[in-house]
Amino acid sequence: MKKSDVVIIGGSAAGIPAAITCRRHYPDKSVMLIRKEEKVQIPCGIPYIFGTVNSPENNLIPDAAVTGNGIELLVDEVENIDRNEKNVITKNGETVNYDKLILATGSIPLDLPIPGLDKKDVFKVKKDTPYLHSLLEKMEDKKDIVILGGGFIGVEFADECKKNRDANVTIVELLPHCLMLAFEDEFCKEAEEVLKERGINLITGVKLEEVLGDDKVTGVKLSDGRTIKTDLLLVAVGVRPNVEIAEKVGLDTDRGGIIVDSCMRTSDNNIFACGDCTSKKSFFTQKPSNLKLASIASMEARIAGANVFGKRRENQGVVGVFSTMVGTKAFGMAGLSENVAKEHDYETVIGQAESPNRHPGGMPGMAKIKVKLVFNKKSGELIGGQIRGGDSVGELINTISACIQKKMTADDIATFQLGTHPAVTASPIAYQLVNAAEMALTKMKWGVWVENSSYSNR
Ligand SMILES: Cc1cc2nc3c(=O)[nH]c(=O)nc-3n(C[C@H](O)[C@H](O)[C@H](O)COP(=O)(O)OP(=O)(O)OC[C@H]3O[C@@H](n4cnc5c(N)ncnc54)[C@H](O)[C@@H]3O)c2cc1C
């Protein structure tokens, strides 16, 4: 029998940072990570296998991330957990005794009740290297590719599929716009324009009702009566938590996954869980959140890993931050959109600003960045942000997320100390984040502030 003070099941965006955090917080404890796959894909990089990086082999998380941090790696599938004896039992017959266990078993693609999804050349978005090799191979001679789902994964796949091959690529999306679960209409429409310019066909506001063909897919039937010819269908419609083991051993779960407390502890005091396999709460409402993101998984992992031998960190709930790239335009969102904020009964104030991300605007690499901020009118605090622009969007949206988490007000943001440089940022005069906060202030409380301030009373 093997033994490790901490055992982690799962080797991806949650499992690896959970293991590394354990090592950092408890250097005298032994840590073992068990994962079932020989090679681990960078999950967020999967769409880029079909264009930019061109092979699953170019999208791997190196094992050095585990072994280089003093973590023992066991490649095997966990089949059972004996909670009384604190043992993990694997498919290859290993028994590993633990003091603390962290489940990071992730998620698997959703199964939709659409007739014909079992036909040949219908693929799902699986984080599985051999499967992705076969999808890439199949794609080579295909002329008509349909992608079901216009969320960020479907959109990224479509964009990448168009890069290295001369195929008709069509997205079929149920909602009126692509990316609509994350972005407000104005940003969705901009992204759709880019997709169309790239030659991608968009069919929105319709349901895919049936997959046609004998044994192989030859087309799809839509709810508006149309039939679209296709020789490859990729289903990119979301995931469900992988709670198979957790349920088998009687841990509490709900629709969102394994139930954990704010320390990431499950209903068993010696078992923690993090990542896509766990149920989540919103940072804003503390109500259930459906978001499953790598950034959330690794944040939860850093909490779980730090807490295994005593409470050191707490999860405040999911803000929801992410960015995506469509053509050469990047889009980012954090927190609540204007519409979702209203659904949660917030009275909102909006501030917007657009300017180049270099100064002067003629500097190389310039892209115009548009920032839209959503403030809670009552408290003045930032509760959401959406951005469109060049690749600096990725870091700017993370700054916005920090402002949300620290409950910064429009005043705080308008006066926060930022660094600028002509070659890498917007000018200090035209800094979009600050100016969007200033624009919101003009609608919010400027008059009140002047009236009540010591300055106006002097
Ligand atoms: C195509 C795609 C693009 C994405 N892009 C982004 C993005 O840009 N940004 C973002 O934030 N998120 C993105 N996501 C979401 C992100 O990938 C997930 O949130 C993230 O992978 C969750 O990490 P995880 O470790 O919880 O789960 P997973 O990545 O699902 O990993 C689970 C791990 O557990 C292992 N495992 C499961 N059961 C067992 C068992 N019984 N025994 C041993 N091992 C087991 C698996 O083998 C795997 O190693 C994307 C997802 C996909 C599919």
Side-chain angles (χ1 to χ4, degrees):
M1 185 198 290
K2 289 180 186 277
K3 182 168 172 44
S4 182
D5 295 321
V6 184
V7 171
I8 290 136
I9 309 175
S12 180
I16 296 173
I20 294 173
T21 309
C22 276
R23 291 287 303 145
R24 287 184 183 148
H25 280 250
Y26 309 102
D28 52 330
K29 301 286 186 188
S30 54
V31 179
M32 179 192 279
L33 184 148
I34 310 177
R35 66 159 202 246
K36 63 182 173 193
E37 65 278 85
E38 203 55 56
K39 297 175 179 180
V40 187
Q41 287 294 318
I42 298 170
C44 314
I46 290 171
Y48 299 92
I49 291 170
F50 302 91
T52 308
V53 304
N54 206 24
S55 163
E57 302 309 313
N58 296 333
N59 186 50
L60 295 174
I61 303 181
D63 281 350
V66 178
T67 51
N69 281 297
I71 299 153
E72 192 180 345
L73 175 63
L74 177 65
V75 177
D76 203 342
E77 184 169 347
V78 173
E79 287 196 328
N80 212 344
I81 301 163
D82 179 342
R83 286 171 52 192
N84 293 326
E85 297 298 322
K86 295 168 85 175
N87 288 332
V88 160
I89 299 108
T90 73
K91 197 173 180 176
N92 291 338
E94 292 279 9
T95 297
V96 187
N97 182 258
Y98 64 84
D99 188 8
K100 303 288 175 188
L101 177 66
I102 303 180
L103 301 180
T105 51
S107 57
I108 38 187
L110 269 179
D111 289 318
L112 292 182
I114 297 175
L117 280 179
D118 54 348
K119 292 191 197 303
K120 270 194 207 145
D121 296 341
V122 176
F123 286 83
K124 293 179 184 173
V125 183
K126 290 191 187 176
K127 302 165 216 159
D128 173 321
T129 306
Y131 186 87
L132 291 166
H133 268 294
S134 66
L135 173 55
L136 183 62
E137 217 170 89
K138 283 276 174 169
M139 237 176 224
E140 288 321 307
D141 62 339
K142 301 299 180 199
K143 288 276 164 266
D144 298 289
I145 298 171
V146 169
I147 294 168
L148 172 56
F152 74 93
I153 293 175
V155 164
E156 287 173 8
F157 257 101
D159 203 11
E160 288 296 307
C161 283
K162 208 60 192 160
K163 279 186 183 159
N164 291 346
R165 56 189 66 76
D166 180 26
N168 292 316
V169 178
T170 304
I171 297 177
V172 178
E173 166 57 47
L174 181 65
L175 296 172
H177 294 292
C178 291
L179 300 173
M180 216 175 159
L181 286 180
F183 289 99
E184 293 175 15
D185 286 9
E186 62 189 275
F187 291 89
C188 297
K189 285 178 189 163
E190 280 199 47
E192 285 179 340
E193 280 313 309
V194 182
L195 289 168
K196 285 183 206 159
E197 280 162 22
R198 304 251 311 105
I200 294 159
N201 310 310
L202 303 181
I203 302 180
T204 55
V206 296
K207 200 171 166 185
L208 193 153
E209 286 193 327
E210 193 183 341
V211 181
L212 307 172
D214 293 333
D215 63 329
K216 267 170 108 168
V217 57
T218 55
V220 290
K221 195 175 142 207
L222 306 180
S223 55
D224 62 3
R226 267 185 287 177
T227 296
I228 309 293
K229 186 174 160 239
T230 181
D231 42 19
L232 191 143
L233 172 65
L234 180 72
V235 182
V237 290
V239 293
R240 64 183 168 87
N242 178 7
V243 290
E244 200 183 322
I245 292 184
E247 283 181 345
K248 187 171 176 180
V249 301
L251 297 177
D252 291 348
T253 60
D254 63 16
R255 278 189 59 205
I258 304 167
I259 298 174
V260 286
D261 64 13
S262 60
C263 298
M264 308 311 295
R265 206 169 41 177
T266 68
S267 49
D268 179 328
N269 280 344
N270 294 310
I271 306 182
F272 292 69
C274 51
D276 280 9
C277 65
T278 65
S279 190
K280 313 206 183 299
K281 286 194 179 120
S282 158
F283 172 83
F284 303 97
T285 62
Q286 293 300 308
K287 289 184 183 154
S289 163
N290 293 327
L291 285 171
K292 305 266 184 213
L293 288 168
S295 50
I296 298 171
S298 58
M299 174 272 288
E300 290 180 346
R302 284 187 210 101
I303 295 172
N307 286 343
V308 279
F309 294 108
K311 182 174 167 180
R312 292 187 172 177
R313 289 177 172 164
E314 253 187 303
N315 187 352
Q316 306 292 314
V318 169
V319 169
V321 198
F322 98 103
S323 38
T324 188
M325 195 90 185
V326 189
T328 54
K329 275 191 186 172
F331 295 82
M333 63 77 67
L336 306 180
S337 65
E338 189 180 359
N339 290 342
V340 173
K342 282 184 181 146
E343 280 166 23
H344 289 309
D345 293 330
Y346 283 99
E347 217 182 318
T348 58
V349 177
I350 305 300
Q352 298 202 55
E354 183 168 7
S355 67
N357 63 352
R358 304 277 188 273
H359 54 293
M363 288 288 275
M366 190 282 281
K368 274 200 156 184
I369 306 268
K370 174 166 144 187
V371 172
K372 174 173 179 176
L373 299 179
V374 183
F375 289 93
N376 176 353
K377 188 171 184 183
K378 216 166 160 188
S379 64
E381 289 166 5
L382 183 67
I383 53 173
Q386 307 232 329
I387 324 182
R388 177 268 297 141
D391 50 17
S392 53
V393 158
E395 298 305 340
L396 188 54
I397 202 66
N398 290 342
T399 307
I400 290 179
S401 172
C403 297
I404 295 172
Q405 287 174 62
K406 291 295 156 200
K407 300 186 188 295
M408 285 174 76
T409 63
D411 265 330
D412 295 332
I413 296 170
T415 55
F416 101 107
Q417 300 186 39
L418 48 94
T420 58
H421 183 274
V424 286
T425 72
S427 107
I429 303 162
Y431 203 82
Q432 306 89 358
L433 176 58
V434 165
N435 282 347
E438 287 282 35
M439 292 314 290
L441 275 169
T442 61
K443 301 180 207 164
M444 211 180 324
K445 60 166 208 171
W446 182 244
V448 179
W449 185 83
V450 171
E451 230 169 70
N452 295 343
S453 71
S454 53
Y455 176 78
S456 66
N457 292 337
R458 251 193 260 160

